[in-house]
Amino acid sequence: MATTTSAPSVNITTVLHENRVFPPPKSFAKAAWIKSMAEYKKLYHESIRQPEKFWARQAKEELVWFKPWKSVLQWKLPQAKWFAGGQLNVCYNCLDRHLNTPTANKAALIWEGEPAGPGTPGEERTYTYKQLHREVCLFANVLKRNGVQKGDRVIIYLPMTPEAAMAMLACARIGAVHSVVFGGFSAQSVADRIFDSQAKVVITADGGFRRGSVVPLKKSVDDALALKDAAGNLLAKTIEKVIVLRRSNHEIHIQEGRDVWWHREVQNVEADCPAEKLESETPLFILYTSGSTGKPKGILHTTAGYLLQAKLTTKYVFDLRPEDVYWCTADVGWVTGHSYVVYGPLANGATSLMYEGAPNYPEPDRFWRIVAKYGVTILYTAPTAIRAFMKWGPQWPDKHDLSSLRLLGTVGEPINPEAWMWYREVIGHKRCPIVDTWWQTETGGIMITPLPGATPTKPGTATLPFFGVVPEVVDDQGHPVPKNSGGKLVLRRPWPGMLRGIWGDPARFVQTYWSEVPGCYFTGDGCRQDKDGYYWIVGRIDDVLNVAGHRIGTAEVESALVSHPNVAEAAVVGRSDDLKGQALVAFVTLKTGILASPGIREELRLHVAREIGPVAKPDDIRFAEMLPKTRSGKIMRRLLKQIAGGGEIKGDTTTLEDFSVLARLAAAEE
Ligand code: WT7
């Protein structure tokens, strides 16, 4: 993989904050699962020196097994087998295991739908563990009735409703492999994912709600099922059934024989559905994520290791107690929603809150209203949301009683120290520890993070590795760099929740993750370790951008742009953005005879939304006569990044930029 690594720059405010240290609050140091640095270090060292002993103990204590494993870890780079020979079921570990305990009648999911208007509550539903178990068993039987068997792939394209969690758990129960597609993705994205995973069934809804309008999910599925590749073959020809949830009462087309209603189907099945006994390495889910080439990668996670990672990190990082009301604001379409809305909290018997809508709909106090209403104790959200709250002003959180909160988490991108301090002061009232958690779709669970009872925190750093994780900052040759120098972040050891592959593409798996630095997993992130050994993640150093916490490959946006009939060439780079972290800037050359205009600019933005989804819409489109290239014909991204970072695009957006001089200069320098 061609990654150009320049030493990640160190932000000056970051350095200023490096010396601000916040010790764990006394209440945590007294009662947390991990109460001191000494305790953390002892366990951490055990997890590194005797990993098999450490993980065997955790697997035994934390998970319910139908059959014990024969070996803890078989590791032959790049393939890990964790707990081989063992049998278990993820759904059983999330639901059934709680049924003969006092947790049975505790709320497993509390759901709030998008509200109708200002000051109104959203629709509300709560499922106890027992109730959720029943719903999941019913739906698992619906899947079976519709032909889904162990190993089959199922696409879940639903709004943030309890049924999204039920569908995931039902797949896990019968050994089907789910692939959740974020509801904001386009028909084309759905079709590509169906094609890549060769899925048999799609689960969708007549519509979802977003900021007062209906998102026509079923309509997108209909479109996806009709899409063809360049040779004229249907992309989604493996789909046999579409199961449709009634959510919005939006009028939809039902194709007899193919489309069935969720609520009708559950009336035709029994509530008895034993959990399949599955081998530890049985595929659990595929989740597509952008990489540095055009096509999203199907990240594969399996059963035992993933579940152990999700369960253990949820317990220790959020210091989960039985009485907590835990709210992770992520959509289940992203990995955070998998591990920290569904699997991690439920495996721990926690109460997990789910919210369907946007943070500022109908008003910018939506989150704080929900925190106060349900007495949320743990809140896990993204820096981009925190920066938006900062912009909307403290009057919105100040209107509500936030005293139930005891711990705050953040994930998805580097958090700037200003946002960290605001989160701590305005939301946490200086009382709540902040856990800045670094991880990735590929890692399955949190990798670098403070533990709230043990780790002194500093604004802007994810601090220290979780148990079993061995990060290292290395140079281009793979040698460790001294403290305080920038480099590439790698992980030296296998961990239980690690990805097991890229679906259908073993060569790309090796290329992307295991070739950059020999012997290690390459994260794609730049990092610096400070004098205390804390890891400061700087952000992606490959051609992947992080826009509002969403991972977007520049190559994917480029190929969407050039698929437009008027576009000759496109290059997409990032520039920093106060709210979204990074923004997408596209440099486009149009085909001969096509004139740049505001109209075509908007048309191209919409085209990208149709091809990928609104999250990938370029923030700026700049038209150029030609793109700056090296003599060997490679687009000079570094140059474009500098130009893009030069500020807002000026007045007339349709003036063609002439890079020919710059390009010649740079080529001469080469
Ligand atoms: C990329 C992974 C992990 C769930 C959400 C995103 C960035 C994530 C942090 C953090 C700095 C972070 C990295 C990483 N990232 N968390 N706490 N500090 N950067 O998952 O879409 O797979 O993206 O998000 O760049 O590589 P993802």
Side-chain angles (χ1 to χ4, degrees):
M1 188 175 62
T3 40
T4 38
T5 324
S6 45
S9 66
V10 176
N11 181 322
I12 184 76
T13 54
T14 302
V15 175
L16 289 176
H17 281 85
E18 192 165 303
N19 299 319
R20 299 188 71 160
V21 181
F22 296 94
K26 286 208 176 65
S27 55
F28 276 83
K30 225 180 283 162
W33 282 109
I34 309 289
K35 295 184 188 58
S36 65
M37 266 321 251
E39 208 177 320
Y40 159 72
K41 281 187 182 151
K42 187 166 158 255
L43 276 168
Y44 179 75
H45 286 138
E46 190 209 346
S47 76
I48 302 308
R49 290 200 191 109
Q50 296 170 288
E52 302 216 358
K53 181 174 162 228
F54 177 85
W55 288 114
R57 187 174 74 242
Q58 300 302 337
K60 198 163 168 225
E61 279 172 14
E62 300 290 343
L63 303 182
V64 179
W65 296 83
F66 296 134
K67 197 177 140 202
W69 60 87
K70 289 208 172 72
S71 66
V72 176
L73 171 64
Q74 294 168 22
W75 173 229
K76 206 168 156 275
L77 187 142
Q79 215 55 60
K81 282 200 177 113
W82 284 90
F83 310 109
Q87 285 184 349
L88 74 169
N89 184 289
V90 167
C91 181
Y92 188 95
N93 271 277
C94 288
L95 301 177
D96 306 58
R97 73 170 298 177
H98 304 305
L99 296 187
N100 292 318
T101 74
T103 308
N105 295 308
K106 167 181 176 175
L109 289 179
I110 298 179
W111 174 73
E112 171 132 338
E114 193 185 83
T120 59
E123 185 192 335
E124 180 184 330
R125 275 192 268 155
T126 299
Y127 292 89
T128 65
Y129 275 89
K130 231 177 203 158
Q131 290 170 323
L132 186 59
H133 175 260
R134 185 183 150 82
E135 297 295 334
V136 167
C137 288
L138 284 167
F139 193 67
N141 280 334
V142 168
L143 289 176
K144 285 189 196 165
R145 188 180 132 89
N146 283 281
V148 179
Q149 293 174 5
K150 187 174 150 180
D152 286 342
R153 273 79 60 208
V154 173
I155 299 283
I156 300 177
Y157 186 56
L158 284 171
M160 263 301 268
T161 54
E163 286 80 5
M166 289 170 194
M168 292 162 73
L169 290 160
C171 287
R173 192 163 190 87
I174 64 173
V177 186
H178 62 69
S179 185
V180 183
V181 179
F182 173 55
F185 279 137
S186 65
Q188 182 70 50
S189 298
V190 174
D192 291 342
R193 284 152 175 76
I194 292 171
F195 176 76
D196 191 78
S197 65
Q198 299 284 288
K200 206 180 203 177
V201 165
V202 180
I203 305 167
T204 190
D206 54 358
F209 292 106
R210 188 77 180 170
R211 293 203 167 90
S213 50
V214 173
V215 185
L217 296 167
K218 173 63 165 64
K219 170 73 174 55
S220 294
V221 171
D222 292 341
D223 293 348
L225 298 193
L227 281 170
K228 293 178 176 160
D229 65 13
N233 300 311
L234 281 177
L235 282 168
K237 58 176 181 288
T238 52
I239 294 297
E240 293 170 9
K241 286 286 168 70
V242 178
I243 303 175
V244 187
L245 172 74
R246 177 166 278 163
R247 164 80 189 115
S248 65
N249 282 323
H250 192 70
E251 205 178 309
I252 56 160
H253 164 74
I254 289 283
Q255 183 172 313
E256 279 317 314
R258 185 194 72 188
D259 302 348
V260 296
W261 284 105
W262 179 310
H263 63 278
R264 297 237 178 94
E265 288 296 294
V266 288
Q267 285 165 3
N268 295 320
V269 292
E270 302 285 319
D272 176 38
C273 176
E276 288 284 325
K277 296 185 167 71
L278 302 172
E279 297 291 323
S280 292
E281 287 295 346
T282 307
L284 175 65
F285 67 84
I286 303 167
L287 189 58
Y288 286 85
T289 187
S290 293
S292 45
T293 64
K295 210 172 117 227
K297 307 172 280 199
I299 303 299
L300 174 68
H301 283 287
T302 60
T303 296
Y306 168 80
L307 183 65
L308 185 57
Q309 194 93 41
K311 182 169 185 203
L312 211 66
T313 48
T314 309
K315 174 172 159 180
Y316 289 127
V317 174
F318 302 108
D319 192 49
L320 213 53
R321 316 261 118 212
E323 61 276 19
D324 276 318
V325 178
Y326 162 96
W327 183 20
C328 165
T329 67
D331 191 284
V332 290
W334 312 108
V335 74
T336 310
H338 285 57
S339 303
Y340 299 107
V341 175
V342 181
Y343 293 121
L346 297 182
N348 280 293
T351 296
S352 181
L353 197 139
M354 263 177 118
Y355 171 55
E356 180 184 30
N360 58 345
Y361 186 83
E363 289 180 302
D365 67 342
R366 197 65 224 166
F367 274 25
W368 320 121
R369 197 175 277 279
I370 291 175
V371 166
K373 175 173 171 187
Y374 297 102
V376 171
T377 57
I378 300 170
L379 177 69
Y380 190 31
T381 193
T384 188
I386 298 166
R387 289 192 298 265
F389 295 134
M390 283 172 77
K391 193 180 104 185
W392 298 330
Q395 69 275 21
W396 296 102
D398 285 353
K399 274 186 11 185
H400 299 278
D401 176 7
L402 305 182
S403 62
S404 58
L405 288 170
R406 65 179 197 93
L407 187 141
L408 302 172
T410 138
V411 61
E413 51 182 311
I415 182 164
N416 47 311
E418 296 72 20
W420 196 100
M421 290 302 292
W422 190 91
Y423 199 25
R424 178 182 146 80
E425 284 165 14
V426 180
I427 305 303
H429 296 157
K430 303 186 180 167
R431 182 186 71 238
C432 307
I434 294 180
V435 290
D436 172 4
T437 62
W438 175 88
W439 58 295
Q440 310 178 295
T441 305
E442 291 86 342
T443 68
I446 294 167
M447 296 280 107
I448 303 182
T449 177
L451 297 181
T455 319
T457 54
K458 303 182 200 180
T461 165
T463 74
L464 298 169
F466 189 72
F467 305 132
V469 178
V470 185
E472 202 163 84
V473 184
V474 302
D475 63 17
D476 283 342
Q477 283 69 47
H479 303 307
V481 299
K483 293 261 170 76
N484 268 322
S485 336
K488 299 172 180 175
L489 180 67
V490 298
L491 303 175
R492 282 247 167 243
R493 295 271 193 98
W495 64 99
M498 69 198 284
L499 78 166
R500 300 300 197 268
I502 295 177
W503 186 257
D505 202 344
R508 192 175 176 195
F509 176 54
V510 173
Q511 248 269 296
T512 310
Y513 303 108
W514 304 98
S515 306
E516 184 85 12
V517 179
C520 315
Y521 169 83
F522 175 55
T523 63
D525 279 326
C527 186
R528 171 181 72 89
Q529 230 189 335
D530 72 13
K531 61 180 191 318
D532 298 324
Y534 281 20
Y535 293 88
W536 296 71
I537 316 291
V538 191
R540 304 289 310 196
I541 49 175
D542 49 8
D543 291 323
V544 174
L545 302 180
N546 195 322
V547 179
H550 297 148
R551 200 210 274 204
I552 295 170
T554 53
E556 220 180 314
V557 184
E558 286 163 5
S559 60
L561 284 167
V562 296
S563 74
H564 190 280
N566 292 344
V567 173
E569 225 178 0
V572 173
V573 297
R575 66 157 161 78
S576 66
D577 180 275
D578 285 348
L579 271 188
K580 300 201 277 187
Q582 283 189 297
L584 287 162
V585 182
F587 292 87
V588 169
T589 58
L590 295 166
K591 288 205 176 134
T592 320
I594 310 290
L595 292 181
S597 69
I600 187 154
R601 187 168 183 266
E602 198 43 34
E603 162 61 20
L604 292 180
R605 283 167 43 83
L606 288 175
H607 178 72
V608 173
R610 276 194 303 269
E611 288 291 305
I612 306 173
V615 287
K617 266 200 224 173
D619 298 271
D620 296 346
I621 294 185
R622 301 171 62 153
F623 296 105
E625 197 131 24
M626 57 182 287
L627 298 178
K629 296 204 184 130
T630 61
R631 270 172 300 189
S632 56
K634 278 182 77 183
I635 293 175
M636 302 167 116
R637 295 175 171 283
R638 204 155 38 101
L639 194 64
L640 290 178
K641 270 183 219 167
Q642 281 165 15
I643 296 165
E648 291 298 304
I649 87 168
K650 291 172 252 32
D652 184 1
T653 59
T654 61
T655 314
L656 293 187
E657 296 182 64
D658 183 0
F659 297 132
S660 49
V661 180
L662 282 174
R664 272 199 300 276
L665 280 175
E669 231 176 67
E670 209 188 331

